[in-house]
């Protein structure tokens, strides 16, 4: 049996006719840039999250970069974020001229540890950027309490967690604003790069719209220096077709995760743990195992793809040699990076595939 890490073609087969019709209709209408489907998707996605506004952009990275700048965060400012994240989170901060201040992860949830945030706050701190990693929401209630106490902006990096909930409330509607990636492999993805911002703040909505579109509100009148970071209309058409399926797909992911957790019970691996206030959407199913590289090879030999998210923490990447950190500063994140392995998970994965993967993990770990 072959088990791919994700299978985008399997999902396409289930929605093929609707997608083709929607994309062809864009060509018939000819509204290729900021067309009707962009507005339709922005409204539908904001409503799905429980936010007032949605601003479609060309990637998750752009969503975060635009947000940092929409809040006037730049040179001399600090943004607190998780040491355990994908580098796009911190690039949005550093490419805006600000400094990322890293906080170690909570070993249970793999997300930023709220108990360690206050020690990282300085007079230069402007914002906290929690990341809902692997589809598990960060502890937003604790984070918002700290933010209110210290008058900080909270920008959620929700790129891996479309639809996940904290006490019944969806991510993207708990911070002051959020950025989502709509990269093809994300839980909700286009057929190319895409992203979206959500917020309840009309001023931030307006500023983000200007920043994504060359700094203009009225064509050829440029109030600020913006970018070309617009969401493509064809991607929006695909996303409009996909959004109504998202909750079913998330449920399939939760079912797959539950089956893995049950089958891996009693083995020498640590499976994900979920706080009682969280409803995750399992962008990734990450286990910890002592001989990670050995297990990855064993699975690969059996036709099973797996991944490591992420092998090198941010503060140990060459790109961030300038940051004032060294090995040992974030022991949870560093220790964990050596043991983690992401098993295949996607809405269309079958029970037989999961059982096969679990059997191969059992064979290796004994
Ligand atoms: C995917 C991802 C991003 C960046 O999204 P792109 O659409 O690839 O630019 C940012 N943060 C996290 C946590 C991600 O997983």
């Amino acid at each position: 049996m072959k088990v791919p890490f994700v299978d985008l073609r399997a999902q396409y087969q289930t929605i093929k006719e609707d997608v083709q019709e929607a994309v062809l209709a864009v060509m018939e209408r000819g509204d290729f840039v900021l067309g009707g489907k962009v507005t339709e998707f922005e409204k539908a996605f904001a409503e799905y999250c429980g936010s007032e506004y949605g601003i479609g952009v060309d990637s998750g990275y752009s969503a975060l970069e635009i947000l940092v700048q929409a809040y006037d965060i730049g040179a001399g400012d600090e943004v607190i974020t998780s040491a355990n994240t994908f580098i796009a989170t911190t690039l949005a901060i550093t490419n805006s001229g600000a400094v990322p201040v890293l906080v170690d992860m909570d070993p249970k949830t793999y997300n930023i540890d709220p108990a360690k945030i206050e020690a990282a706050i300085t007079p230069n701190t402007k914002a906290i950027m929690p990341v809902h990693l692997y589809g598990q929401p960060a502890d937003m209630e604790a984070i918002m309490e700290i933010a209110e106490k210290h008058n900080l902006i909270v920008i959620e990096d929700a790129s891996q967690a479309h639809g996940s909930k904290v006490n019944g409330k969806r991510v993207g509607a708990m911070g002051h604003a959020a950025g989502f990636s709509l990269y093809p492999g994300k839980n909700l993805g286009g057929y190319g790069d895409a992203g979206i911002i959500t917020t309840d703040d009309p001023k931030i909505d307006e500023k983000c719209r200007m920043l994504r579109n060359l700094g203009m509100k009225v064509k050829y009148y440029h109030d600020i220096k913006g970018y070309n970071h617009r969401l493509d209309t064809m991607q929006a058409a695909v996303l409009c077709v996909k959004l109504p399926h998202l909750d079913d797909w998330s449920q399939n992911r939760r079912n797959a995760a539950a089956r893995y957790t049950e089958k891996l019970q009693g083995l020498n691996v640590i499976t994900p743990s979920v706080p009682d206030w969280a409803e995750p959407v399992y962008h990734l199913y990450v286990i910890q195992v002592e001989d990670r590289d050995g297990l990855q090879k064993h699975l690969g030999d059996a036709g099973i793809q797996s991944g490591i998210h992420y092998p090198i923490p941010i503060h140990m990447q060459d790109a961030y040699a300038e940051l004032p950190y060294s090995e040992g500063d974030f022991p949870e994140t560093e220790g964990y990076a050596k043991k983690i392995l992401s098993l295949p998970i996607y809405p269309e994965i079958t029970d037989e595939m999961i059982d096969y993967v679990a059997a191969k993990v059992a064979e290796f770990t004994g």
Side-chain angles (χ1 to χ4, degrees), residues 77 87 90-102 313-326 329-330:
D77 298 330
I87 198 160
T90 51
L91 286 177
I93 299 167
T94 50
N95 288 344
S96 301
V99 175
V101 174
L102 304 178
I314 300 290
H315 66 289
M316 289 160 68
Q317 295 280 358
D318 289 345
Y320 278 127
E322 90 252 17
L323 293 182
Y325 302 117
S326 43
D329 283 350
F330 304 102

Side-chain angles (χ1 to χ4, degrees), residues 58-62 64 85-86 88-89 131 133 157 159-160 181-183 186 193-195 283 310:
D58 58 357
S59 75
Y61 165 78
S62 298
L64 297 171
T85 187
F86 179 53
T89 314
V131 185
L133 207 66
D157 181 349
S159 295
Q160 300 191 359
S181 171
L182 302 165
Y183 177 85
K186 298 290 162 81
D193 277 308
H283 175 56
Y310 296 91

